[in-house]
Structure formats: structure tokens, C-alpha cells
Amino acid sequence: MDSIFVIEQLLNGLGYGLMLFLLAAGLSLVFGIMDTMNLAHGSLYMAGAYIAARAHEAGAGFATAVLAAVAATVVIAFLLEQAIVRRLYARDHLAQVIATFGVILIADDVVKAIWGPSPVMAAMPAALAGPVQLLPELPYPAYRLLLIGVGLLVALGLYLLVSHTRIGMLVRAGASNRGMAELMGVRVGRVFSFVFVLGAALAALAGALMGPISAVQIGMGEAILIPALVVIVIGGIGSVRGAFVAALLVGMVDTAGRAFLPPALRAVLPPALAAELGAALAGIAMYLLMAAVLILKPAGLFPARG
Amino acid sequence: MTRPGKASSAVPAADLAPLAARVLPWVLLAVLAAFPLLAPVLGLEYWLGFVRRLLIVMIAATSLNFILGYGGMAALGHAGFIGVGAYTVVALVDAGVGSAWLAWGAALAASALAAAAIGALSLRTRGVYFLMITLAFAQMLYYLAVSLSAYGGDDGYGLYTPLALGAGIDTGDEAVFFWVVLAIAALVFALFSRIAASRFGHALMGIRDNETRMSALGYPVFRLKLAAFAGAGALAGLAGALLASHNAFVSPSLMHWTESATLLVMVVLGGLGRRWGAPLGVAVWLVLAEVLKLHTEYWHWPLGLLLITVVFLAPRGLAALFARAGRAA
């Protein structure tokens, strides 16, 4: 294991973590402000990935395709919020889980009807397909650098929006004490619609960007939903800062687990056992992290309330 | 909170209801017991295996209804215990064990232990955090099963010889295995009904409604919840062991998180905290899915629509609808 390999894996972990953050930020705010568990967030991610891949394939430039995906998903999310999610705010978490699970089932069939059951190959933009020489001996895929760059920019933008603007203040007020914010004249319902649509835009952006380096297929939303939920639970529900720290932690732990655990175990254990144990531990690393955090801090690392 | 028991004793016109409630389960049991004999006559052989699976899933769903509906513990990892039961059977069969008593008994014990350990850690959290931590443990079990290459890893493990129950009972025979499953399911359901109506069941409902008050009254809240959680896990494990024999195959997909979610969905659909909620939810969900699958490849969206409709129009589940209709009549 040389240092080049380690740096490469850390960059991969950073990129994955930032994409998880894009997903988790919206999920966490929706949860924090309106106390609403939205399992269909992963379906919005899937919508973004499919629309971007298809638009790019149809001849649109990559940036245009990504923007189109974000715009289309925002419209879908707005309609979803008006039709279903809005009516779930006052209900308990179980009702929200059941109804949004229903939305997942419908979304998967809609995608199947429009784009067919087989996975879609999402192409990378030609200009970014090659590697960039980061250090004399460290070539790194340009596209993954783009992910890191966009992820950091969005994180910064979200930080400025939430911490330094009037609308951000309303969002934070709603997240820390909804009842009080309502009494002070904040229209929390309208703030929530904004947050829901913003979260959808971020999810679509993550989906569109992840498309070329993962599989664009039905069920991709459910697969990424669980790590995103792990992130918001570790970070503390409702906290954007918590989601950021936790997303990077989970991204690093997951990537490092897959890259470093098997070789490390091979050094001390017989190869067959090391391969098995390494794969198992790599898969469960992020869940171990979450279980450990919850047992020590039952409300996550950065609780938004109280 | 109105419980069905209270309501029926308060309404004098519903004198017939308790009688029907007492007779109906026996009628249902008789019809189910006759099903393997009637199926070939009616040309329903295909559905024999289906009804057997339904009975097995009902065991798991009933155990989830017990902790979720009566105990207020929203667990999203119940499929993990199904997996522990199924893989216990796989491990024993792989080691050369052929006795169903031993294999199923070990599955019960192993999943009870797993549930006790997971419960002891998870029950410190509440609400959504509990939901997520039980999910996390189920995911750990899932990845553990994926990495067990001795038992096929991702590809799963085939169980080719049926387990032996002794006394001339051949579990390899479709109809005989159906009766075995029916007997176990009926026993589990009777046990669940007794426990739900016992002091333990009532204490659990008290904890669900007001934990602070129950602990002020001197009830050992944590221990009661843990006992319920471990018991439910054990029954889910039994369902997993039966499912292993039913499918003659075990793979990690049994433990995928969507399986846990589907179990939760079926219980809520049927009616949380209602005696017949879990069987009703399982029957409606699985029959609908099976029928839709026969007719179209787009069989998910009608189920999704059903869930959204139930959440908005029948928030207390289908069993509550029936109870209301029965009271109004």
C-alpha cells in the first residue's frame, strides 16, 4: 500500500461523501423542519440520473443535460409536495414511511414504463473522460475531480444560504423550534415547500453527476437512500453542518473500508478468511459507525433541536 | 385510544359479534386444513405453495405487529431475524443435521439471541433513531450473509433434502408440509392472541401509550420491551427457518431492507395493534401482488397507490375498517 494509492482512495471517499451530502442535506432539512420522513427522496435522485443520462445521450451538452435534469426534477418535486407530501406533515412517521414507500413503488414503475427495465449507460462528458496529473505519479480521473469541485461549491453555497441569508434564518428557525417560528409569523408551510424543492434539486444534481460513475437503473434510489439516511442520523436530524461532517465521515469510512481493509487483513490472516472478513467488514463499516454513534449519542453528532 | 374489546362490550347490539369472533378462526382453520385436499379438485395446485408462503409470512408479520402495534417499537430490521433463522437451518444442514426439530429449534434460539443482543443496544434510542438503528443491524447481518462464501454468499444455498420431523411425517410432501406450516402458524397466532391479552401484553400497551407513567408505576419498562423484542425476533427466525424449507433455498435477499419495509407495510396495511391486522395485511398484500404479477409486469404501482390510499383514507388499517363496519351493522 503506497501513499499514492492512499491519496487516490481518500479522494474517492471525499467525492462519494460530497455526493452523499447533496442527498442528505435535503433529506435532513425536510426531516428537521417538518418532521417528515421522505423515503421517496431516492426516487428524485433516480429521476435526476435518468433525465440527465437521456438528455446527454440525445445530444445535449453535459452541463445542459445536468441543468435540465435538475429543472425537471424540481417540477416533479413541486407536484409531489403539493399532491402528497404536504398532507403528511401532520401525520406520524410510520404513515409517512408507508405513503412515501408507495411513491417509490409508483416511481419505479413509471421509470420502467418510460425508459425500459434495463440499466442506462450514462456517458461521461468527452472533455473530462481522461485523467489529470495531480502529482508526478498520481493521475486522477478528471470527472471525479469535477464531482469534488461541484460538491464543495454546493456545500459552500448551502452554508451561505442557511447561515447568512434571511431565508436561511427562517429555515433554521423552523428546524430548531417550529411552533415558536410559526408564532413569530414565519410561514413554515411555505418555507417547507421551498426546502423540499431545494432538496429535490440537490438530489437530482447528485443523481445526474453520479450517473456516469455508477449504474443508472431502477432501484438506484433505494440503494443510495440507506447511506443517505445513515448520514442524517449520524449527523443529527435537521442539521446541515451535521449532514456535511457525517457525509464525509461515511464516504471516507465506506471507501477506506473497501480499499484498505482487505489488504490489511491479508497481512495478518489466511487469504481466504481475509477476503471474506474484509468484504463483510467493508460492507458493514458505515452501519457500525452509525450504531456506535447512536449508542453513545442517541440524537446524533450535531442535534439541531434543544 | 379505543380498543376493540372495550367497544364491543359497551355496545349491547353487537351480541353476535363475540360469537362470530369465536367461531370464525375455527372456520378459517378448517378451510385452510382442507385446502390441500380441495386444491387438486378445484385445479388450484399452483396456489397451494402460495398459501403456504402466506402462512409463513404471517408468522413474521404477527411478531412484528406484536412489537410495533402493541409495544410501539417501530423496527425496520425484522427481515434480519428471518435471515438469522434461515441461515441457522443452512448451517445445521451443511453440518449434516437432518432433524427438523433440531434445525427449527436452533433457528428459534439463534434468532432470539440475536434479537436480545440487538434489542439491548437499540432500545436505548426512540422513534426514527430506533427505526434506523434496527435497520443498521439488519444491514450488518445482510452483508455478513453476503460474505459467507461457505454458504454460497450472494448466490445463496440450496437445501435439497427435506428435514425430517419423525413419526412418519414427510415434509417433502407438498400437502404434508402445508399442514405442518398451518399447525405452527395457528399455534403462533393462538400464542400471540393469549400474550396480547395477558398482563404482559397490557403492560406493553401501557408502555406504548405512556412509558414514563408505566415506569413510575414500577414496571421494568426496559426489560419488558426487551423481552417482547427478543420474542418477536425468535418468531421471525422461526418464519425464516420455515421459509428456508419452503423455498428449498436461502439467499441474502431474504434480509434485504426492502423485505423489512414490506413486512412493516403489510402490518400497517392490515391494522397496527389489531389481532387480525397482520394476517389480513399479509393476505391482501401478497394476493394482490401475486394476481397483478400474473397479468402485468407493471405490478408495483397499483400497490403503491393502495398504500397511499390507505394512509389517507384508512389510517388505522383494513382491520379497523372491518371492525367499524361490524359495529355499524
Side-chain angles (χ1 to χ4, degrees):
Chain A
M1 242 193 296
D2 50 71
S3 54
I4 295 294
F5 177 66
V6 172
I7 296 174
E8 203 180 333
Q9 293 303 325
L10 289 181
L11 284 174
N12 283 349
L14 180 64
Y16 179 51
L18 285 168
M19 291 300 112
L20 275 181
F21 169 67
L22 293 191
L23 265 171
L27 204 56
S28 184
L29 280 175
V30 168
F31 209 136
I33 298 175
M34 286 321 241
D35 206 19
T36 298
M37 179 111 169
N38 175 26
L39 292 188
H41 202 66
S43 300
L44 298 169
Y45 169 84
M46 172 173 71
Y50 264 93
I51 296 168
R54 284 304 182 173
H56 188 46
E57 198 178 85
F62 186 72
T64 321
V66 170
L67 288 179
V70 171
T73 308
V74 160
V75 173
I76 296 170
F78 180 73
L79 295 176
L80 183 68
E81 202 261 340
Q82 296 285 320
I84 294 174
V85 179
R86 168 164 295 208
R87 293 165 218 279
L88 291 171
Y89 298 158
R91 304 290 298 276
D92 58 49
H93 288 142
L94 213 50
Q96 294 158 355
V97 165
I98 302 296
T100 51
F101 190 72
V103 174
I104 292 183
L105 292 176
I106 297 174
D108 281 353
D109 264 4
V110 168
V111 167
K112 202 203 257 181
I114 300 177
W115 290 298
S118 42
V120 169
M121 284 318 214
M124 264 179 213
L128 295 171
V132 171
Q133 210 67 33
L134 279 186
L135 289 172
E137 279 159 61
L138 174 65
Y140 194 73
Y143 187 77
R144 284 182 181 266
L145 279 182
L146 172 83
L147 287 194
I148 295 175
V150 172
L152 285 174
L153 266 181
V154 172
L156 181 68
L158 205 59
Y159 165 73
L160 291 176
L161 180 75
V162 171
S163 310
H164 292 282
T165 63
R166 188 176 158 72
I167 181 105
M169 201 159 71
L170 300 182
V171 167
R172 276 180 293 136
S176 61
N177 192 333
R178 179 172 22 154
M180 182 65 86
E182 261 165 357
L183 282 175
M184 303 293 274
V186 179
R187 289 189 199 159
V188 176
R190 204 174 284 182
V191 170
F192 181 65
S193 298
F194 166 75
V195 169
F196 189 82
V197 167
L198 178 71
L202 295 177
L205 180 64
L209 291 176
M210 283 294 274
I213 57 167
S214 66
V216 178
Q217 59 189 2
I218 291 161
M220 67 186 289
E222 289 92 289
I224 197 90
L225 176 71
I226 300 297
L229 284 171
V230 167
V231 164
I232 70 168
V233 166
I234 290 178
I237 289 170
S239 160
V240 175
R241 187 170 53 137
F244 184 73
V245 173
L248 292 190
L249 257 178
V250 168
M252 289 294 179
V253 163
D254 193 57
T255 310
R258 280 170 218 287
F260 306 143
L261 264 179
L265 286 172
R266 250 194 311 271
V268 289
L269 292 170
L273 183 64
E276 254 178 57
L277 201 63
L281 283 177
I284 67 177
M286 78 166 102
Y287 302 105
L288 280 176
L289 176 69
M290 175 169 105
V293 167
L294 281 192
I295 288 164
L296 297 174
K297 299 196 73 164
L301 294 176
F302 299 89
R305 276 172 228 264
Chain B
M1 295 299 294
T2 52
R3 302 246 63 84
K6 246 186 246 167
S8 57
S9 60
V11 180
D15 274 338
L16 277 175
L19 185 68
R22 229 176 307 144
V23 173
L24 218 56
W26 293 105
V27 174
L28 187 64
L29 187 63
V31 170
L32 282 170
F35 188 61
L37 303 175
L38 295 174
V41 184
L42 300 171
L44 293 172
E45 289 98 333
Y46 170 80
W47 294 94
L48 187 59
F50 172 77
V51 175
R52 199 169 62 196
R53 183 162 65 93
L54 203 146
L55 287 169
I56 297 172
V57 176
M58 195 209 84
I59 296 175
T62 298
S63 73
L64 181 61
N65 188 21
F66 184 61
I67 53 170
L68 177 58
Y70 292 79
M73 294 172 256
L76 187 52
H78 221 53
F81 304 127
I82 294 182
V84 170
Y87 272 93
T88 305
V89 170
V90 165
L92 288 176
V93 167
D94 197 64
V97 171
S99 157
W101 294 104
L102 194 58
W104 295 345
L108 261 175
S111 44
L113 269 178
I118 290 174
L121 292 171
S122 310
L123 285 169
R124 291 164 202 279
T125 60
R126 327 229 149 289
V128 173
Y129 292 99
F130 181 74
L131 201 87
M132 288 304 296
I133 198 166
T134 48
L135 170 73
F137 281 115
Q139 290 290 90
M140 291 182 203
L141 292 170
Y142 173 81
Y143 283 105
L144 188 68
V146 168
S147 69
L148 280 174
S149 61
Y151 304 136
D154 232 348
D155 300 327
Y157 187 94
L159 297 158
Y160 301 109
T161 16
L163 294 166
L165 263 177
I169 302 171
D170 173 20
T171 57
D173 183 277
E174 290 287 317
V176 171
F177 187 43
F178 182 96
W179 284 316
V180 170
V181 168
L182 177 62
I184 294 175
L187 263 176
V188 167
F189 193 69
L191 183 75
F192 153 75
S193 304
R194 285 296 288 273
I195 292 179
S198 71
R199 234 172 80 85
F200 174 55
H202 283 274
L204 209 56
M205 285 189 265
I207 293 170
R208 174 195 64 193
D209 293 339
N210 193 335
E211 198 168 318
T212 316
R213 178 175 294 175
M214 289 304 280
S215 91
L217 285 172
Y219 282 88
V221 168
F222 185 80
R223 261 190 291 157
L224 287 175
K225 282 169 86 171
L226 187 59
F229 192 79
L235 289 180
L238 177 66
L242 294 174
L243 213 51
S245 294
H246 169 82
N247 293 329
F249 178 73
V250 171
S251 84
S253 65
L254 275 181
M255 291 190 247
H256 196 261
W257 77 268
T258 49
E259 296 296 316
S260 296
T262 311
L263 219 48
L264 200 72
V265 159
M266 290 191 285
V267 172
V268 176
L269 176 69
L272 268 184
R274 285 175 187 275
R275 194 171 158 221
W276 288 95
L280 192 65
V282 170
V284 168
W285 183 264
L286 288 183
V287 168
L288 256 180
E290 194 72 11
V291 170
L292 286 168
K293 263 188 240 180
L294 286 178
H295 290 100
T296 168
E297 66 175 300
Y298 299 102
W299 57 275
H300 288 105
W301 72 265
L303 294 173
L305 212 56
L306 172 72
L307 289 186
I308 295 171
T309 314
V310 165
V311 164
F312 288 123
L313 298 182
R316 291 195 293 146
L318 297 175
L321 281 186
F322 282 110
R324 205 184 305 158
R327 227 169 296 151

mmCIF file of all heavy atoms in Angstrom, chain B residues 2-5 7-8 11 14 17 270-271 274-277 280 316-329:
data_model
loop_
_atom_site.group_PDB
_atom_site.id
_atom_site.type_symbol
_atom_site.label_atom_id
_atom_site.label_comp_id
_atom_site.label_asym_id
_atom_site.label_seq_id
_atom_site.Cartn_x
_atom_site.Cartn_y
_atom_site.Cartn_z
ATOM 1 N N THR B 2 -59.364 3.757 21.558
ATOM 2 C CA THR B 2 -60.435 2.786 21.758
ATOM 3 C C THR B 2 -59.929 1.444 21.288
ATOM 4 O O THR B 2 -59.469 1.283 20.169
ATOM 5 C CB THR B 2 -61.677 3.154 20.933
ATOM 6 O OG1 THR B 2 -61.286 3.346 19.593
ATOM 7 C CG2 THR B 2 -62.354 4.402 21.450
ATOM 8 N N ARG B 3 -59.990 0.490 22.171
ATOM 9 C CA ARG B 3 -59.590 -0.865 21.810
ATOM 10 C C ARG B 3 -60.847 -1.639 21.442
ATOM 11 O O ARG B 3 -61.920 -1.395 22.008
ATOM 12 C CB ARG B 3 -58.875 -1.538 22.977
ATOM 13 C CG ARG B 3 -57.642 -0.771 23.425
ATOM 14 C CD ARG B 3 -56.375 -1.558 23.166
ATOM 15 N NE ARG B 3 -56.129 -1.823 21.763
ATOM 16 C CZ ARG B 3 -55.535 -0.942 20.947
ATOM 17 N NH1 ARG B 3 -55.178 0.230 21.382
ATOM 18 N NH2 ARG B 3 -55.309 -1.280 19.711
ATOM 19 N N PRO B 4 -60.734 -2.558 20.499
ATOM 20 C CA PRO B 4 -61.930 -3.271 20.043
ATOM 21 C C PRO B 4 -62.661 -3.984 21.182
ATOM 22 O O PRO B 4 -63.886 -3.990 21.226
ATOM 23 C CB PRO B 4 -61.384 -4.271 19.021
ATOM 24 C CG PRO B 4 -59.901 -4.178 19.083
ATOM 25 C CD PRO B 4 -59.544 -2.923 19.772
ATOM 26 N N GLY B 5 -61.910 -4.537 22.154
ATOM 27 C CA GLY B 5 -62.531 -5.264 23.254
ATOM 28 C C GLY B 5 -63.485 -4.388 24.039
ATOM 29 O O GLY B 5 -64.629 -4.749 24.310
ATOM 30 N N ALA B 7 -64.909 -1.562 23.089
ATOM 31 C CA ALA B 7 -66.021 -1.070 22.290
ATOM 32 C C ALA B 7 -67.133 -2.116 22.210
ATOM 33 O O ALA B 7 -68.305 -1.796 22.376
ATOM 34 C CB ALA B 7 -65.547 -0.708 20.895
ATOM 35 N N SER B 8 -66.767 -3.392 22.019
ATOM 36 C CA SER B 8 -67.804 -4.386 21.806
ATOM 37 C C SER B 8 -68.581 -4.652 23.098
ATOM 38 O O SER B 8 -69.768 -4.945 23.056
ATOM 39 C CB SER B 8 -67.195 -5.673 21.241
ATOM 40 O OG SER B 8 -66.215 -6.143 22.119
ATOM 41 N N VAL B 11 -71.317 -1.905 23.488
ATOM 42 C CA VAL B 11 -72.447 -1.830 22.563
ATOM 43 C C VAL B 11 -73.282 -3.104 22.703
ATOM 44 O O VAL B 11 -72.848 -4.179 22.303
ATOM 45 C CB VAL B 11 -71.937 -1.682 21.109
ATOM 46 C CG1 VAL B 11 -73.109 -1.595 20.132
ATOM 47 C CG2 VAL B 11 -71.048 -0.461 20.985
ATOM 48 N N ALA B 14 -74.228 -5.499 19.655
ATOM 49 C CA ALA B 14 -73.218 -6.328 18.996
ATOM 50 C C ALA B 14 -73.049 -7.671 19.698
ATOM 51 O O ALA B 14 -71.962 -8.195 19.817
ATOM 52 C CB ALA B 14 -71.891 -5.579 18.938
ATOM 53 N N ALA B 17 -71.417 -10.342 17.600
ATOM 54 C CA ALA B 17 -70.019 -10.165 17.218
ATOM 55 C C ALA B 17 -69.060 -11.087 17.980
ATOM 56 O O ALA B 17 -68.228 -11.744 17.356
ATOM 57 C CB ALA B 17 -69.621 -8.701 17.357
ATOM 58 N N GLY B 270 -52.734 -3.858 7.248
ATOM 59 C CA GLY B 270 -53.753 -4.676 7.895
ATOM 60 C C GLY B 270 -54.359 -3.988 9.106
ATOM 61 O O GLY B 270 -55.565 -4.038 9.312
ATOM 62 N N GLY B 271 -53.534 -3.342 9.891
ATOM 63 C CA GLY B 271 -54.037 -2.664 11.086
ATOM 64 C C GLY B 271 -53.112 -2.914 12.254
ATOM 65 O O GLY B 271 -53.038 -4.015 12.772
ATOM 66 N N ARG B 274 -53.864 -4.584 16.039
ATOM 67 C CA ARG B 274 -55.129 -5.313 15.972
ATOM 68 C C ARG B 274 -54.804 -6.781 15.780
ATOM 69 O O ARG B 274 -53.895 -7.137 15.045
ATOM 70 C CB ARG B 274 -55.979 -4.814 14.820
ATOM 71 C CG ARG B 274 -56.571 -3.497 15.176
ATOM 72 C CD ARG B 274 -57.326 -2.861 14.079
ATOM 73 N NE ARG B 274 -57.691 -1.525 14.522
ATOM 74 C CZ ARG B 274 -58.764 -1.274 15.244
ATOM 75 N NH1 ARG B 274 -59.600 -2.216 15.552
ATOM 76 N NH2 ARG B 274 -59.010 -0.054 15.661
ATOM 77 N N ARG B 275 -55.619 -7.634 16.429
ATOM 78 C CA ARG B 275 -55.331 -9.058 16.458
ATOM 79 C C ARG B 275 -55.219 -9.615 15.048
ATOM 80 O O ARG B 275 -54.280 -10.324 14.723
ATOM 81 C CB ARG B 275 -56.450 -9.744 17.226
ATOM 82 C CG ARG B 275 -56.105 -11.134 17.612
ATOM 83 C CD ARG B 275 -57.169 -11.662 18.561
ATOM 84 N NE ARG B 275 -57.141 -13.099 18.510
ATOM 85 C CZ ARG B 275 -58.218 -13.859 18.502
ATOM 86 N NH1 ARG B 275 -59.415 -13.314 18.527
ATOM 87 N NH2 ARG B 275 -58.093 -15.166 18.467
ATOM 88 N N TRP B 276 -56.157 -9.246 14.179
ATOM 89 C CA TRP B 276 -56.179 -9.815 12.830
ATOM 90 C C TRP B 276 -55.457 -8.924 11.824
ATOM 91 O O TRP B 276 -55.498 -9.182 10.626
ATOM 92 C CB TRP B 276 -57.622 -10.060 12.384
ATOM 93 C CG TRP B 276 -58.205 -11.209 13.127
ATOM 94 C CD1 TRP B 276 -58.970 -11.129 14.270
ATOM 95 C CD2 TRP B 276 -58.034 -12.594 12.846
ATOM 96 N NE1 TRP B 276 -59.286 -12.381 14.702
ATOM 97 C CE2 TRP B 276 -58.722 -13.306 13.852
ATOM 98 C CE3 TRP B 276 -57.351 -13.292 11.860
ATOM 99 C CZ2 TRP B 276 -58.759 -14.695 13.884
ATOM 100 C CZ3 TRP B 276 -57.395 -14.685 11.888
ATOM 101 C CH2 TRP B 276 -58.085 -15.373 12.894
ATOM 102 N N GLY B 277 -54.837 -7.854 12.317
ATOM 103 C CA GLY B 277 -54.187 -6.908 11.410
ATOM 104 C C GLY B 277 -53.136 -7.555 10.527
ATOM 105 O O GLY B 277 -53.158 -7.419 9.300
ATOM 106 N N LEU B 280 -54.439 -10.196 7.941
ATOM 107 C CA LEU B 280 -55.205 -9.508 6.912
ATOM 108 C C LEU B 280 -54.281 -8.748 5.956
ATOM 109 O O LEU B 280 -54.412 -8.833 4.726
ATOM 110 C CB LEU B 280 -56.187 -8.537 7.588
ATOM 111 C CG LEU B 280 -57.253 -7.942 6.701
ATOM 112 C CD1 LEU B 280 -58.178 -9.038 6.207
ATOM 113 C CD2 LEU B 280 -58.049 -6.892 7.465
ATOM 114 N N ARG B 316 -56.041 3.692 10.102
ATOM 115 C CA ARG B 316 -55.834 2.686 11.141
ATOM 116 C C ARG B 316 -55.843 1.267 10.570
ATOM 117 O O ARG B 316 -55.932 0.294 11.298
ATOM 118 C CB ARG B 316 -56.850 2.861 12.254
ATOM 119 C CG ARG B 316 -56.533 4.177 12.998
ATOM 120 C CD ARG B 316 -57.224 4.304 14.311
ATOM 121 N NE ARG B 316 -58.656 4.417 14.161
ATOM 122 C CZ ARG B 316 -59.512 3.917 15.033
ATOM 123 N NH1 ARG B 316 -59.076 3.263 16.070
ATOM 124 N NH2 ARG B 316 -60.799 4.082 14.843
ATOM 125 N N GLY B 317 -55.777 1.175 9.246
ATOM 126 C CA GLY B 317 -55.628 -0.131 8.612
ATOM 127 C C GLY B 317 -56.950 -0.758 8.226
ATOM 128 O O GLY B 317 -58.024 -0.302 8.601
ATOM 129 N N LEU B 318 -56.846 -1.850 7.457
ATOM 130 C CA LEU B 318 -58.041 -2.510 6.937
ATOM 131 C C LEU B 318 -58.842 -3.186 8.044
ATOM 132 O O LEU B 318 -60.071 -3.181 8.018
ATOM 133 C CB LEU B 318 -57.640 -3.545 5.879
ATOM 134 C CG LEU B 318 -56.947 -2.964 4.639
ATOM 135 C CD1 LEU B 318 -56.479 -4.083 3.717
ATOM 136 C CD2 LEU B 318 -57.895 -2.034 3.891
ATOM 137 N N ALA B 319 -58.146 -3.757 9.042
ATOM 138 C CA ALA B 319 -58.863 -4.439 10.131
ATOM 139 C C ALA B 319 -59.790 -3.466 10.848
ATOM 140 O O ALA B 319 -60.895 -3.824 11.262
ATOM 141 C CB ALA B 319 -57.870 -5.061 11.106
ATOM 142 N N ALA B 320 -59.341 -2.197 10.958
ATOM 143 C CA ALA B 320 -60.176 -1.190 11.625
ATOM 144 C C ALA B 320 -61.429 -0.909 10.801
ATOM 145 O O ALA B 320 -62.507 -0.661 11.346
ATOM 146 C CB ALA B 320 -59.374 0.094 11.831
ATOM 147 N N LEU B 321 -61.289 -0.948 9.468
ATOM 148 C CA LEU B 321 -62.448 -0.746 8.592
ATOM 149 C C LEU B 321 -63.502 -1.821 8.856
ATOM 150 O O LEU B 321 -64.684 -1.538 8.996
ATOM 151 C CB LEU B 321 -62.025 -0.827 7.125
ATOM 152 C CG LEU B 321 -61.357 0.388 6.508
ATOM 153 C CD1 LEU B 321 -61.159 0.163 5.017
ATOM 154 C CD2 LEU B 321 -62.178 1.636 6.751
ATOM 155 N N PHE B 322 -63.018 -3.077 8.947
ATOM 156 C CA PHE B 322 -63.948 -4.184 9.188
ATOM 157 C C PHE B 322 -64.619 -4.025 10.542
ATOM 158 O O PHE B 322 -65.818 -4.224 10.685
ATOM 159 C CB PHE B 322 -63.211 -5.525 9.129
ATOM 160 C CG PHE B 322 -62.938 -5.982 7.735
ATOM 161 C CD1 PHE B 322 -61.647 -6.002 7.238
ATOM 162 C CD2 PHE B 322 -63.979 -6.361 6.905
ATOM 163 C CE1 PHE B 322 -61.392 -6.403 5.940
ATOM 164 C CE2 PHE B 322 -63.720 -6.769 5.611
ATOM 165 C CZ PHE B 322 -62.430 -6.779 5.127
ATOM 166 N N ALA B 323 -63.809 -3.651 11.543
ATOM 167 C CA ALA B 323 -64.360 -3.502 12.888
ATOM 168 C C ALA B 323 -65.453 -2.440 12.878
ATOM 169 O O ALA B 323 -66.503 -2.582 13.484
ATOM 170 C CB ALA B 323 -63.248 -3.122 13.863
ATOM 171 N N ARG B 324 -65.207 -1.333 12.143
ATOM 172 C CA ARG B 324 -66.173 -0.238 12.088
ATOM 173 C C ARG B 324 -67.449 -0.706 11.396
ATOM 174 O O ARG B 324 -68.549 -0.459 11.863
ATOM 175 C CB ARG B 324 -65.568 0.948 11.346
ATOM 176 C CG ARG B 324 -66.198 2.259 11.745
ATOM 177 C CD ARG B 324 -65.633 3.401 10.904
ATOM 178 N NE ARG B 324 -64.177 3.474 10.979
ATOM 179 C CZ ARG B 324 -63.436 4.073 10.043
ATOM 180 N NH1 ARG B 324 -64.012 4.623 8.980
ATOM 181 N NH2 ARG B 324 -62.146 4.127 10.161
ATOM 182 N N ALA B 325 -67.260 -1.435 10.271
ATOM 183 C CA ALA B 325 -68.422 -1.925 9.527
ATOM 184 C C ALA B 325 -69.238 -2.869 10.422
ATOM 185 O O ALA B 325 -70.463 -2.824 10.451
ATOM 186 C CB ALA B 325 -67.980 -2.639 8.261
ATOM 187 N N GLY B 326 -68.545 -3.739 11.194
ATOM 188 C CA GLY B 326 -69.225 -4.683 12.073
ATOM 189 C C GLY B 326 -70.016 -3.978 13.156
ATOM 190 O O GLY B 326 -71.127 -4.374 13.493
ATOM 191 N N ARG B 327 -69.453 -2.873 13.676
ATOM 192 C CA ARG B 327 -70.119 -2.141 14.746
ATOM 193 C C ARG B 327 -71.336 -1.388 14.214
ATOM 194 O O ARG B 327 -72.334 -1.265 14.884
ATOM 195 C CB ARG B 327 -69.145 -1.155 15.385
ATOM 196 C CG ARG B 327 -69.177 -1.212 16.888
ATOM 197 C CD ARG B 327 -68.029 -0.429 17.475
ATOM 198 N NE ARG B 327 -66.737 -1.025 17.104
ATOM 199 C CZ ARG B 327 -65.632 -0.300 16.983
ATOM 200 N NH1 ARG B 327 -65.653 0.996 17.164
ATOM 201 N NH2 ARG B 327 -64.500 -0.892 16.663
ATOM 202 N N ALA B 328 -71.205 -0.872 12.974
ATOM 203 C CA ALA B 328 -72.294 -0.087 12.405
ATOM 204 C C ALA B 328 -73.483 -0.993 12.077
ATOM 205 O O ALA B 328 -74.634 -0.582 12.155
ATOM 206 C CB ALA B 328 -71.832 0.616 11.137
ATOM 207 N N ALA B 329 -73.240 -2.250 11.756
ATOM 208 C CA ALA B 329 -74.312 -3.152 11.334
ATOM 209 C C ALA B 329 -75.251 -3.481 12.491
ATOM 210 O O ALA B 329 -74.854 -3.471 13.633
ATOM 211 C CB ALA B 329 -73.719 -4.446 10.779
#
